[in-house]
Amino acid sequence: MDFILEGLRQAFLLLFSGNAETYSAVAATLAVSSYAMAVSLAVGIPSGFALGHLRFAGRRQVRLVVDTLMSLPTVFIGLIVYAFVSRQGPLGHMGLLFTLEGIAIGLTILALPVVISLSASAVESTDANLRTTLLSLGAGKPQLMLGTLWETRHAILAGALAAYGRVMTEVGIAMIVGGNIKWHTRTITTAIALETNKGQFAMGIALGLVLLLIAFVVNGSVSFLRKR
Amino acid sequence: MTLYRLDHIVHRYDKRPALSPALSIDRWSVAEGAITGLCGPNGSGKSTLLKLLGFIERPSQGEIYLQGRKADMGMRRVRDHVTLLPQESYLLKRNVYKNVAYGLRLRKDRSDEARRVHQALDLVGLAPDRFAPRPWYALSGGEARRVALAARLVLKPKVLLLDEPTTSVDAASAQQMKAAALHAHRQWGSSLIISSHDVQWLQDVCHDIVYVFNGRILGQGQRTLLFGPWQRMEGNRVGRRLAEDQIFVAGNPPVEIDNAVAAIDPAHLSLYSSDKDIPGGNMALKGLLTRLALENATGRIHLAVAVGHTEFTASLTAETLATENYRPGKEIWIAYRPEDVTWY
Amino acid sequence: MKTLFSIVKRHLLWVLMLAWLCGPAWAAEPQQLLMATTTSTDNTGLLDYLAPHFTKATGIDIRWTATGTGKALALGQNCDVDVLLVHAPAAEKKYVEAGYGQNRREIMYNDFVFIGPTADPAGVKGKSVAQALEAIKAKKAAFISRGDNSGTHKMELQLWQLANLPKPEKESWYVSTGQGMLTSINVAAEKSGYILTDRGTYIKYAYDKGGQPPMVVLVEGDDVLRNQYSVIEVSPKNCANAKADLARKFSDWMADSQAQKLIGDFKLLGQPLFIPNAK
């Protein structure tokens, strides 16, 4: 029990004493998660929207595949990405192993199905009367899509936050692809894993609290934006 | 001028051909600048018809002509001038002002926007100052319905389609909505097509009333409709018992009589105070005069005569009515020739 | 469609901006050496202590990923790293023979010790390795294994073999953690069990517990318990892109008298964690 209180104390210390190692891990976490989220949202929202909005042959099968991919174990993604970016792998020449870029690719694979699936669900679950209403007010095809997208913004945002949560807390991919290299690819979660391995439980808890604080800031700003 | 002309329209929600289509209309036209009423039981196809007329859905077969030209969903002239208030109106997740202004913004027609939005809200009886900034979730059912109507009125549409506009709203809201719809018709010359269970209202305002049943249009005007079960009688006639000793007899029945609907036009019903005056070859039924109503468009008086649970509609000129001294509560004979009954 | 396109364009711009922002940090630096090593060298803090000296002496930026010896060797075989610092002599020799590595050079050692609860329920204190393992098996006392194919795990399996005992993997008292050394020691402490550890990690553990650890050294000093650490360069014959020249510089520096002295001076609680023995 002691190390929980000790962890709380250390969390403050780490943040306010400007602990360079901690800030390096925070920066790495923010970099990879922002990159993964930017790509996942840019690709995932339009595809998810298309999947939920359009009716085409094989739609249900695609949906099933995407939903299944939501359950991809992160360690498995890590292994697959490792297999590709290892110097022996097909993408080995790009030198992505043990880089933040490599982690970001893995995290994108993790987040993309979540964004696509939840966006598709959000669009599918819109009121059938929304389409009638938009059309009856004179919306053309692009306006119908934009209007639907805007009406489902809250649900899509919730999906994006769910994906962000997975990405931020991910440890398997970051460990296998990133290698937990100090000052370079050590993220908050891999640092927690390391501190736990070293038996420094208080330090692990402190880092966990730092991660929680970041998540709080992100969710807080989204909730603020939503109000407006 | 014809506003709409429907040509061999068939609409199916289910592709299986074994099921009867949701809507099947061979030919039908609607006059421009008129108010047309649609009545009929739930599930008869009124909403489907309005969605086709509003170009929200494309008919499975057939063509719809708007002002003489073939029209289809997505066309500019359709989107700009035809608008439908669906049965379950949906408010966009934004405030009242933006809901009402949405159609204007789609048309990139933002000149004088605030004044026009406020005017539309005024029309449906919602004080603009109080309601314009309200979010979509802070409205009662009747208010939301009125906002939805205002969002259509602000467009000053050439064609305004109203699907059950006054059901499930309070009496005051219904009153405001009826007045607003009439305003659109009178001030801007909008053609209105209204589906409603409020037959009284339709009779008051409509130039024409259409009865929709089982996906078909059962003629225009104030027809009396009679549903089975039918029993075969002598001489290619069928009968339907309405009350003790009162059997409606009709001639020329279709081969398949189980689901057949008989209709009789007011023009073919004559009224008598006593059965002695009824000429030969006519069938007679004794009923109770229950209601008199003025048809605004023609100046004729509609009379509702109840025989058992069935209500027949007959019509007279005001002069005839005055001489005959018909009044509600009076027992009255209605007479018709069985061969004048039409079948659907 | 125009508006939809502009939204996509805006997202794209954002991505590009981010990529640009993060770009400099990701660009490969020229003098960079990547090493795979074992958790013990990293967890004890030895590498954090040595790395700045190495960079100062050679101008080479060294980065390492800490894992079990098994995975470290696999990373070398897959050409993902340039040099290895590991401690499983038998596996290392096979590895070099197979042509994956070259120039295996012994750098330092510490020794393995058996630790257990102060109460010592199986009474193994002061016994030889073989006697101690027999006693543990006879008493069915809890025994914790790394079970992760690490150097320590390989050593433990070898010890059971040397004691002529079957691998007790399926016994109820045998707990395989699959975790790092310190985590496994903590598991042993929770279960009041015995565990094989390298002395360096144990000293670090004792230090973390404020010098009053619940687990104490019970068996030590047996010849078979020596834990030899070696540097192996990833063979450029197997991996064309391996930075063999930088790896050689690291290997040379580690065997050099300056680094050897630094290793000998690295102490916790007044005890050296590793004893340099480069030839």
Short mmCIF file of all heavy atoms in Angstrom, two decimals, chain A residues 2-17 19 22-23 25-26 187-189 191-193 195-196 200-214:
data_model
loop_
_atom_site.label_atom_id
_atom_site.label_comp_id
_atom_site.label_asym_id
_atom_site.label_seq_id
_atom_site.Cartn_x
_atom_site.Cartn_y
_atom_site.Cartn_z
N ASP A 2 1.97 1.20 0.74
CA ASP A 2 2.81 2.40 0.89
C ASP A 2 3.20 3.00 -0.44
O ASP A 2 3.24 4.21 -0.61
CB ASP A 2 4.10 2.06 1.67
CG ASP A 2 3.79 1.86 3.14
OD1 ASP A 2 2.64 2.18 3.52
OD2 ASP A 2 4.67 1.40 3.88
N PHE A 3 3.49 2.08 -1.40
CA PHE A 3 4.05 2.62 -2.64
C PHE A 3 3.01 3.37 -3.47
O PHE A 3 3.34 4.09 -4.39
CB PHE A 3 4.76 1.53 -3.46
CG PHE A 3 3.95 0.32 -3.78
CD1 PHE A 3 2.98 0.37 -4.77
CD2 PHE A 3 4.18 -0.88 -3.11
CE1 PHE A 3 2.26 -0.76 -5.08
CE2 PHE A 3 3.45 -1.99 -3.42
CZ PHE A 3 2.49 -1.93 -4.40
N ILE A 4 1.70 3.21 -3.15
CA ILE A 4 0.69 3.99 -3.87
C ILE A 4 0.80 5.46 -3.47
O ILE A 4 0.86 6.36 -4.32
CB ILE A 4 -0.72 3.44 -3.59
CG1 ILE A 4 -0.84 2.04 -4.19
CG2 ILE A 4 -1.78 4.36 -4.21
CD1 ILE A 4 -2.16 1.37 -3.99
N LEU A 5 0.88 5.70 -2.14
CA LEU A 5 1.04 7.08 -1.66
C LEU A 5 2.37 7.66 -2.13
O LEU A 5 2.45 8.79 -2.61
CB LEU A 5 0.97 7.13 -0.13
CG LEU A 5 -0.42 6.89 0.45
CD1 LEU A 5 -0.35 6.88 1.97
CD2 LEU A 5 -1.37 7.97 -0.04
N GLU A 6 3.40 6.81 -2.04
CA GLU A 6 4.72 7.22 -2.48
C GLU A 6 4.67 7.57 -3.97
O GLU A 6 5.28 8.55 -4.41
CB GLU A 6 5.70 6.07 -2.21
CG GLU A 6 7.12 6.28 -2.71
CD GLU A 6 7.80 7.50 -2.09
OE1 GLU A 6 7.33 7.97 -1.03
OE2 GLU A 6 8.79 7.99 -2.68
N GLY A 7 3.91 6.80 -4.73
CA GLY A 7 3.76 7.04 -6.16
C GLY A 7 3.13 8.39 -6.43
O GLY A 7 3.55 9.14 -7.31
N LEU A 8 2.11 8.72 -5.63
CA LEU A 8 1.43 10.00 -5.78
C LEU A 8 2.42 11.15 -5.56
O LEU A 8 2.48 12.12 -6.32
CB LEU A 8 0.30 10.07 -4.75
CG LEU A 8 -0.84 11.03 -5.06
CD1 LEU A 8 -1.52 10.63 -6.35
CD2 LEU A 8 -1.84 11.02 -3.92
N ARG A 9 3.24 10.98 -4.51
CA ARG A 9 4.21 12.03 -4.18
C ARG A 9 5.23 12.18 -5.32
O ARG A 9 5.52 13.27 -5.78
CB ARG A 9 4.94 11.64 -2.88
CG ARG A 9 5.62 12.80 -2.17
CD ARG A 9 6.31 12.29 -0.91
NE ARG A 9 7.42 11.38 -1.21
CZ ARG A 9 8.63 11.81 -1.57
NH1 ARG A 9 8.90 13.09 -1.65
NH2 ARG A 9 9.59 10.93 -1.81
N GLN A 10 5.69 11.02 -5.81
CA GLN A 10 6.70 11.06 -6.87
C GLN A 10 6.14 11.63 -8.17
O GLN A 10 6.86 12.26 -8.93
CB GLN A 10 7.25 9.66 -7.12
CG GLN A 10 8.27 9.24 -6.08
CD GLN A 10 9.07 8.04 -6.55
OE1 GLN A 10 9.19 7.77 -7.74
NE2 GLN A 10 9.61 7.30 -5.58
N ALA A 11 4.84 11.38 -8.43
CA ALA A 11 4.23 11.90 -9.65
C ALA A 11 4.35 13.41 -9.68
O ALA A 11 4.71 14.00 -10.70
CB ALA A 11 2.78 11.47 -9.74
N PHE A 12 4.05 14.04 -8.56
CA PHE A 12 4.16 15.49 -8.47
C PHE A 12 5.61 15.93 -8.66
O PHE A 12 5.91 16.87 -9.40
CB PHE A 12 3.65 16.00 -7.12
CG PHE A 12 2.15 16.11 -7.10
CD1 PHE A 12 1.38 15.15 -6.49
CD2 PHE A 12 1.51 17.19 -7.73
CE1 PHE A 12 0.00 15.24 -6.49
CE2 PHE A 12 0.14 17.29 -7.73
CZ PHE A 12 -0.62 16.31 -7.10
N LEU A 13 6.48 15.19 -7.99
CA LEU A 13 7.90 15.51 -8.06
C LEU A 13 8.41 15.46 -9.50
O LEU A 13 9.10 16.36 -9.98
CB LEU A 13 8.67 14.50 -7.20
CG LEU A 13 9.72 15.09 -6.26
CD1 LEU A 13 9.04 16.02 -5.25
CD2 LEU A 13 10.47 13.97 -5.54
N LEU A 14 8.02 14.36 -10.21
CA LEU A 14 8.48 14.16 -11.58
C LEU A 14 8.04 15.31 -12.47
O LEU A 14 8.80 15.81 -13.28
CB LEU A 14 7.91 12.86 -12.15
CG LEU A 14 8.48 11.56 -11.63
CD1 LEU A 14 7.80 10.39 -12.29
CD2 LEU A 14 9.98 11.50 -11.89
N LEU A 15 6.77 15.70 -12.29
CA LEU A 15 6.22 16.70 -13.18
C LEU A 15 6.77 18.08 -12.88
O LEU A 15 7.10 18.85 -13.77
CB LEU A 15 4.70 16.71 -13.08
CG LEU A 15 4.02 15.59 -13.86
CD1 LEU A 15 2.53 15.64 -13.66
CD2 LEU A 15 4.35 15.70 -15.34
N PHE A 16 6.86 18.41 -11.59
CA PHE A 16 7.18 19.79 -11.25
C PHE A 16 8.68 20.05 -11.12
O PHE A 16 9.12 21.18 -11.20
CB PHE A 16 6.42 20.22 -9.99
CG PHE A 16 4.95 20.25 -10.25
CD1 PHE A 16 4.10 19.30 -9.69
CD2 PHE A 16 4.39 21.21 -11.11
CE1 PHE A 16 2.75 19.31 -9.96
CE2 PHE A 16 3.04 21.21 -11.39
CZ PHE A 16 2.22 20.27 -10.81
N SER A 17 9.46 18.95 -10.99
CA SER A 17 10.91 19.17 -10.95
C SER A 17 11.46 19.14 -12.37
O SER A 17 12.65 19.25 -12.60
CB SER A 17 11.59 18.10 -10.10
OG SER A 17 11.45 16.86 -10.74
N ASN A 19 11.62 16.61 -14.46
CA ASN A 19 12.42 15.40 -14.67
C ASN A 19 12.55 15.09 -16.17
O ASN A 19 11.56 14.80 -16.84
CB ASN A 19 11.76 14.24 -13.92
CG ASN A 19 12.53 12.95 -14.09
OD1 ASN A 19 12.58 12.39 -15.17
ND2 ASN A 19 13.13 12.49 -13.01
N THR A 22 11.21 11.74 -17.55
CA THR A 22 9.76 11.69 -17.62
C THR A 22 9.24 12.48 -18.81
O THR A 22 8.41 12.00 -19.58
CB THR A 22 9.15 12.27 -16.33
OG1 THR A 22 9.75 11.60 -15.23
CG2 THR A 22 7.65 12.09 -16.31
N TYR A 23 9.79 13.69 -18.98
CA TYR A 23 9.30 14.51 -20.08
C TYR A 23 9.65 13.91 -21.43
O TYR A 23 8.89 14.04 -22.39
CB TYR A 23 9.80 15.95 -19.95
CG TYR A 23 8.93 16.73 -18.99
CD1 TYR A 23 9.22 16.83 -17.65
CD2 TYR A 23 7.73 17.29 -19.45
CE1 TYR A 23 8.39 17.50 -16.77
CE2 TYR A 23 6.89 17.96 -18.59
CZ TYR A 23 7.22 18.07 -17.24
OH TYR A 23 6.38 18.72 -16.39
N ALA A 25 9.69 10.70 -22.02
CA ALA A 25 8.67 9.65 -22.23
C ALA A 25 7.33 10.27 -22.58
O ALA A 25 6.61 9.75 -23.44
CB ALA A 25 8.56 8.79 -20.99
N VAL A 26 7.00 11.40 -21.93
CA VAL A 26 5.73 12.08 -22.23
C VAL A 26 5.74 12.53 -23.68
O VAL A 26 4.78 12.34 -24.42
CB VAL A 26 5.52 13.27 -21.28
CG1 VAL A 26 4.36 14.15 -21.77
CG2 VAL A 26 5.26 12.79 -19.87
N THR A 187 8.24 5.16 -24.05
CA THR A 187 6.98 5.87 -23.82
C THR A 187 6.61 5.73 -22.35
O THR A 187 7.28 5.00 -21.61
CB THR A 187 5.85 5.28 -24.68
OG1 THR A 187 5.65 3.93 -24.27
CG2 THR A 187 6.21 5.32 -26.16
N ILE A 188 5.56 6.40 -21.94
CA ILE A 188 5.17 6.31 -20.54
C ILE A 188 4.84 4.87 -20.16
O ILE A 188 5.25 4.38 -19.12
CB ILE A 188 3.96 7.22 -20.26
CG1 ILE A 188 4.31 8.67 -20.60
CG2 ILE A 188 3.55 7.12 -18.79
CD1 ILE A 188 3.19 9.64 -20.34
N THR A 189 4.12 4.17 -21.07
CA THR A 189 3.71 2.81 -20.71
C THR A 189 4.89 1.85 -20.64
O THR A 189 4.96 1.03 -19.73
CB THR A 189 2.68 2.27 -21.70
OG1 THR A 189 3.17 2.47 -23.03
CG2 THR A 189 1.35 2.97 -21.55
N ALA A 191 7.87 2.70 -19.96
CA ALA A 191 8.62 3.10 -18.77
C ALA A 191 7.99 2.48 -17.52
O ALA A 191 8.69 2.00 -16.63
CB ALA A 191 8.66 4.62 -18.65
N ILE A 192 6.65 2.43 -17.51
CA ILE A 192 5.97 1.80 -16.37
C ILE A 192 6.34 0.32 -16.30
O ILE A 192 6.67 -0.21 -15.23
CB ILE A 192 4.43 1.94 -16.49
CG1 ILE A 192 4.03 3.41 -16.37
CG2 ILE A 192 3.74 1.11 -15.41
CD1 ILE A 192 2.56 3.65 -16.63
N ALA A 193 6.32 -0.33 -17.47
CA ALA A 193 6.67 -1.75 -17.51
C ALA A 193 8.09 -1.95 -16.98
O ALA A 193 8.35 -2.87 -16.19
CB ALA A 193 6.54 -2.29 -18.93
N GLU A 195 9.88 0.08 -14.95
CA GLU A 195 9.98 0.36 -13.51
C GLU A 195 9.41 -0.80 -12.71
O GLU A 195 9.91 -1.14 -11.64
CB GLU A 195 9.24 1.66 -13.16
CG GLU A 195 9.84 2.91 -13.80
CD GLU A 195 11.30 3.14 -13.42
OE1 GLU A 195 11.74 2.65 -12.37
OE2 GLU A 195 12.03 3.78 -14.22
N THR A 196 8.33 -1.41 -13.23
CA THR A 196 7.74 -2.55 -12.54
C THR A 196 8.71 -3.71 -12.54
O THR A 196 8.90 -4.39 -11.53
CB THR A 196 6.42 -2.95 -13.23
OG1 THR A 196 5.63 -1.78 -13.39
CG2 THR A 196 5.66 -3.95 -12.40
N GLN A 200 10.50 -1.01 -9.01
CA GLN A 200 10.25 0.37 -8.56
C GLN A 200 8.77 0.69 -8.71
O GLN A 200 8.38 1.45 -9.59
CB GLN A 200 11.08 1.34 -9.41
CG GLN A 200 12.55 1.06 -9.44
CD GLN A 200 13.24 1.50 -8.16
OE1 GLN A 200 12.64 2.20 -7.35
NE2 GLN A 200 14.46 1.08 -7.96
N PHE A 201 7.98 0.07 -7.83
CA PHE A 201 6.52 0.18 -8.01
C PHE A 201 6.04 1.62 -7.89
O PHE A 201 5.16 2.06 -8.62
CB PHE A 201 5.80 -0.72 -7.02
CG PHE A 201 6.12 -2.17 -7.21
CD1 PHE A 201 6.35 -3.00 -6.13
CD2 PHE A 201 6.20 -2.69 -8.50
CE1 PHE A 201 6.64 -4.34 -6.33
CE2 PHE A 201 6.51 -4.03 -8.69
CZ PHE A 201 6.73 -4.85 -7.60
N ALA A 202 6.61 2.36 -6.94
CA ALA A 202 6.15 3.73 -6.72
C ALA A 202 6.37 4.56 -7.99
O ALA A 202 5.50 5.32 -8.43
CB ALA A 202 6.90 4.35 -5.55
N MET A 203 7.55 4.37 -8.60
CA MET A 203 7.86 5.09 -9.82
C MET A 203 6.87 4.72 -10.93
O MET A 203 6.40 5.58 -11.68
CB MET A 203 9.29 4.73 -10.24
CG MET A 203 9.80 5.52 -11.40
SD MET A 203 10.05 7.24 -10.93
CE MET A 203 10.69 7.85 -12.47
N GLY A 204 6.55 3.43 -11.01
CA GLY A 204 5.58 2.97 -12.00
C GLY A 204 4.23 3.63 -11.80
O GLY A 204 3.59 4.10 -12.75
N ILE A 205 3.81 3.70 -10.55
CA ILE A 205 2.52 4.33 -10.26
C ILE A 205 2.57 5.82 -10.59
O ILE A 205 1.63 6.38 -11.17
CB ILE A 205 2.13 4.08 -8.80
CG1 ILE A 205 1.65 2.64 -8.68
CG2 ILE A 205 1.06 5.04 -8.34
CD1 ILE A 205 1.34 2.19 -7.31
N ALA A 206 3.70 6.45 -10.28
CA ALA A 206 3.84 7.88 -10.59
C ALA A 206 3.67 8.12 -12.08
O ALA A 206 2.93 9.02 -12.50
CB ALA A 206 5.20 8.37 -10.12
N LEU A 207 4.32 7.28 -12.89
CA LEU A 207 4.21 7.45 -14.34
C LEU A 207 2.78 7.18 -14.81
O LEU A 207 2.28 7.84 -15.71
CB LEU A 207 5.18 6.51 -15.05
CG LEU A 207 6.65 6.95 -14.95
CD1 LEU A 207 7.58 5.81 -15.33
CD2 LEU A 207 6.89 8.15 -15.84
N GLY A 208 2.14 6.19 -14.17
CA GLY A 208 0.74 5.91 -14.50
C GLY A 208 -0.13 7.12 -14.25
O GLY A 208 -1.02 7.45 -15.05
N LEU A 209 0.13 7.81 -13.13
CA LEU A 209 -0.65 9.01 -12.82
C LEU A 209 -0.40 10.11 -13.83
O LEU A 209 -1.31 10.85 -14.20
CB LEU A 209 -0.31 9.49 -11.40
CG LEU A 209 -0.79 8.54 -10.29
CD1 LEU A 209 -0.27 9.00 -8.94
CD2 LEU A 209 -2.30 8.45 -10.27
N VAL A 210 0.85 10.20 -14.30
CA VAL A 210 1.16 11.20 -15.32
C VAL A 210 0.34 10.93 -16.58
O VAL A 210 -0.26 11.82 -17.18
CB VAL A 210 2.67 11.20 -15.65
CG1 VAL A 210 2.96 12.07 -16.86
CG2 VAL A 210 3.47 11.68 -14.45
N LEU A 211 0.27 9.64 -16.96
CA LEU A 211 -0.49 9.25 -18.14
C LEU A 211 -1.96 9.62 -17.96
O LEU A 211 -2.62 10.14 -18.87
CB LEU A 211 -0.35 7.74 -18.36
CG LEU A 211 -0.93 7.20 -19.66
CD1 LEU A 211 -0.14 7.74 -20.84
CD2 LEU A 211 -0.90 5.69 -19.67
N LEU A 212 -2.46 9.34 -16.76
CA LEU A 212 -3.85 9.63 -16.45
C LEU A 212 -4.12 11.13 -16.57
O LEU A 212 -5.16 11.56 -17.06
CB LEU A 212 -4.13 9.17 -15.03
CG LEU A 212 -5.52 8.61 -14.75
CD1 LEU A 212 -5.81 7.45 -15.69
CD2 LEU A 212 -5.61 8.16 -13.32
N LEU A 213 -3.14 11.91 -16.13
CA LEU A 213 -3.27 13.37 -16.18
C LEU A 213 -3.38 13.84 -17.63
O LEU A 213 -4.22 14.69 -17.97
CB LEU A 213 -2.06 14.02 -15.50
CG LEU A 213 -2.14 15.53 -15.32
CD1 LEU A 213 -3.20 15.86 -14.28
CD2 LEU A 213 -0.79 16.09 -14.89
N ILE A 214 -2.55 13.26 -18.50
CA ILE A 214 -2.61 13.63 -19.92
C ILE A 214 -3.98 13.27 -20.48
O ILE A 214 -4.62 14.07 -21.17
CB ILE A 214 -1.51 12.90 -20.72
CG1 ILE A 214 -0.13 13.35 -20.23
CG2 ILE A 214 -1.66 13.18 -22.20
CD1 ILE A 214 1.01 12.59 -20.85
#
